[in-house]
Amino acid sequence: MSQTSSLLPHKIIGVAVIWNDQEQILIDRRRPEGSMGGLWEFPGGKIESGETIPECILREIDEELGIEIEVGEHLITIDHTYTHLRVTLTVHQCRHLTGVPQALECDEIRWVNLEELDQFAFPKANFQIIAALRQSKEVKGSNFFG
Ligand SMILES: Nc1nc2c([nH]c(=O)n2[C@H]2C[C@H](O)[C@@H](COP(=O)(O)OP(=O)(O)OP(=O)(O)O)O2)c(=O)[nH]1
Ligand SMILES: [Mg+2]
């Protein structure tokens, strides 16, 4: 890690890996303008003061996609330093409950399976999330809640 990382802005982010009944995961493409524009991500966003991570995830998913989810177990927490920014991504396994996802704050959304994730361009920190998802599937022999 670079010695100047403490001078960078630091964002604390709650991130949702949302599964549906077809064992697919919801991903969204960031808007073209702005940081990491055009890259795919797992939905989520910045924690607000007084919130827990599960509360942040529930709020962000309602704001960004207009759906209701169940926030399940913690998958992984990643601390990653980009050139301009440090992020702490706390990732939870989640289950889609109700509502059809809408691209309210992103460019595009898709349901994909674990194997298909490699076909999409994600920010660098996400390689660890995807690796953790694959490992979790191997260990448990199922994706989630299964
Ligand atoms: N939601 C989400 N963010 C990710 C992922 N991977 C990754 O590096 N990030 C980074 C991108 C952003 O810098 C940050 C997410 O915060 P955000 O979406 O609220 O931030 P933003 O830059 O879009 O919004 P803002 O500061 O302009 O309000 O975390 C991911 O899989 N999901
Ligand atoms: Mg966001």
Side-chain angles (χ1 to χ4, degrees):
M1 180 173 299
S2 109
Q3 287 189 317
T4 55
S5 64
S6 61
L7 302 175
L8 294 172
H10 182 195
K11 288 188 182 179
I12 311 289
I13 309 293
V15 174
V17 174
I18 305 170
W19 294 91
N20 67 14
D21 291 339
Q22 287 80 51
E23 297 203 7
Q24 293 169 314
I25 298 166
L26 196 61
I27 59 173
D28 73 88
R29 194 150 57 88
R30 294 172 67 84
R31 288 179 168 153
E33 66 278 4
S35 93
M36 300 183 228
L39 293 182
W40 292 83
E41 65 174 13
F42 301 105
K46 284 187 291 284
I47 196 162
E48 292 182 356
S49 75
E51 265 182 346
T52 63
I53 288 284
E55 286 166 351
C56 162
I57 289 175
L58 281 177
R59 177 185 50 75
E60 286 284 346
I61 297 317
D62 177 50
E63 288 173 5
E64 293 186 352
L65 303 164
I67 60 170
E68 196 194 346
I69 62 167
E70 175 185 344
V71 180
E73 68 188 41
H74 175 253
L75 177 70
I76 191 171
T77 296
I78 292 156
D79 206 319
H80 188 86
T81 302
Y82 294 108
T83 51
H84 57 298
L85 170 75
R86 177 178 162 211
V87 289
T88 300
L89 306 172
T90 300
V91 187
H92 279 256
Q93 300 268 33
C94 300
R95 188 215 296 268
H96 177 236
L97 294 178
T98 58
V100 176
Q102 306 157 66
L104 300 173
E105 295 185 358
C106 62
D107 230 30
E108 193 182 343
I109 47 188
R110 284 209 202 174
W111 288 106
V112 297
N113 63 41
L114 206 43
E115 292 70 38
E116 289 169 324
L117 283 178
D118 295 326
Q119 300 164 25
F120 297 85
F122 285 92
K124 213 172 165 200
N126 286 53
F127 286 102
Q128 286 178 78
I129 303 177
I130 294 168
L133 278 171
R134 296 210 160 117
Q135 203 186 0
S136 150
K137 188 182 179 184
E138 275 172 32
V139 169
K140 292 201 224 155
S142 69
N143 277 330
F144 181 50
F145 287 119

